[in-house]
Amino acid sequence: MTELGRFGVWRAHGGFTPEEARELERLGYGTLWLGGSPPAELPGVAELLAATETISVATSIVNVWSAPAKEVAESFHRLDARYPGRFLLGIGAGHPEMTGEYRKPYEVLVEYLDELDRAGVPKERRALAALGPRVLRLAGDRTAGALPYLVTPEHTRGAREILGPDALLAVEHKVVLDTDPVRARAQAIPRVEFYLDLRNYASNLRRLGFQDADLVKPGSARLLDALVAHGSAKSVVEQLLHHIDAGADHVVLQVLDDDSMATLRTLAPLLHESS
């Protein structure tokens, strides 16, 4: 399995420079996560791996509707030949609202994983975006584990129960380093409210006990506080560690501050002390 470390950093693909990758490696972050449905050719991954020595790179996630499995497998093998063990292929079904070809996502995921099997992408070198119980079980059965996004520690606890003790559980959580809660929530809103229109995320949040009133844009204070760690650096780290306590192996920070690198520099020593 790819070594992820305890904490990683999420940005949309193309969002990391090689210089930032080197600094994040020095700061002790274990993995760079590339979101926003990177294309099958996985542009930029080799550049980040070449610029660093130990940090891993992972996708979160390659979208099965837009990136053909055969081409993704070719990209995986190309990267793994040059940088053995340092790339993790995260895949997922994305959002039904984003494709005109959408059909039952579970069936498509199974077919996609079958294609990756035939192309020789090892089970332990791929992971699956998963929220609900059925896809979480699929993640545990057919991949290294699950990559939940926009979730709470309560979801993490339930996901660990479904996955069992051995599967990977790498959980994304948003961060705003600001001790003013009103200002922190305002900073978070643009990166949360988008998901409230997407039924897979809205359904999952309802399963976690949020009410329809919480999901009305821009999202209630209760919802924003559950999905975005904010406050002092110490408080933010304590909130992130709730996922570890609930069973996560790895927590992925999506920093929403204007100067995300400054926030990551501030948090790094505290995260290191917690490990």
Side-chain angles (χ1 to χ4, degrees):
M1 183 184 295
T2 303
E3 177 57 48
L4 302 179
R6 202 176 194 192
F7 298 100
V9 181
W10 189 102
R11 289 185 187 170
H13 68 92
F16 294 103
T17 67
E19 294 75 20
E20 288 171 331
R22 282 193 291 271
E23 181 174 2
L24 291 169
E25 181 177 69
R26 288 195 299 270
L27 290 170
Y29 293 97
T31 305
L32 307 176
W33 293 86
L34 312 184
S37 300
E41 297 78 16
L42 302 179
V45 175
E47 184 180 24
L48 297 175
L49 291 169
T52 54
E53 296 181 2
T54 60
I55 201 168
S56 297
V57 177
T59 52
S60 178
I61 45 77
V62 167
N63 192 312
V64 299
W65 304 102
S66 59
K70 181 177 182 296
E71 296 174 22
V72 170
E74 291 170 354
S75 297
F76 170 86
H77 289 303
R78 182 183 69 251
L79 292 166
D80 199 47
R82 293 178 63 186
Y83 308 100
R86 292 179 58 200
F87 176 68
L88 177 72
L89 175 63
I91 68 168
H95 321 303
E97 295 84 356
M98 301 301 173
T99 177
E101 300 177 3
Y102 205 84
R103 54 192 175 92
K104 290 185 178 179
Y106 187 87
E107 296 174 357
V108 175
L109 288 170
V110 170
E111 293 170 5
Y112 202 93
L113 291 168
D114 289 344
E115 287 193 63
L116 293 180
D117 284 343
R118 289 191 290 270
V121 177
K123 169 184 173 179
E124 65 274 11
R125 301 291 306 286
R126 63 198 193 202
L128 184 60
L131 293 175
R134 194 179 186 204
V135 181
L136 283 165
R137 284 191 287 270
L138 181 65
D141 291 341
R142 299 288 306 275
T143 76
L147 311 174
Y149 184 95
L150 201 76
V151 294
T152 64
E154 290 73 23
H155 182 276
T156 298
R157 187 170 293 106
R160 175 52 71 197
E161 291 176 1
I162 292 169
L163 288 166
D166 299 325
L168 169 69
L169 182 53
V171 181
E172 179 269 351
H173 203 94
K174 294 170 176 56
V175 168
V176 174
L177 190 58
D178 193 328
T179 56
D180 182 326
V182 174
R183 194 166 56 214
R185 291 175 193 132
Q187 182 76 7
I189 282 169
R191 300 297 290 274
V192 172
E193 65 176 351
F194 165 78
Y195 296 99
L196 303 183
D197 285 331
L198 304 178
R199 64 174 180 259
N200 55 337
Y201 287 106
S203 296
N204 189 59
L205 292 169
R206 290 188 179 95
R207 282 195 296 266
L208 292 171
F210 293 100
Q211 306 302 311
D212 288 347
D214 292 308
L215 305 183
V216 174
K217 287 185 173 183
S220 68
R222 172 177 174 248
L223 179 73
L224 292 166
D225 291 349
L227 298 176
V228 182
H230 59 82
S232 66
K234 180 180 178 182
S235 176
V236 165
V237 170
E238 289 173 351
Q239 292 169 68
L240 296 174
L241 288 174
H242 290 161
H243 282 290
I244 300 292
D245 295 339
D249 301 296
H250 179 85
V251 179
V252 184
L253 284 66
Q254 182 178 170
V255 178
L256 307 184
D257 296 313
D258 294 334
D259 189 345
S260 62
M261 288 299 295
T263 295
L264 290 164
R265 292 183 196 110
T266 299
L267 295 178
L270 296 175
L271 293 170
H272 180 71
E273 289 173 11
S274 75
S275 299

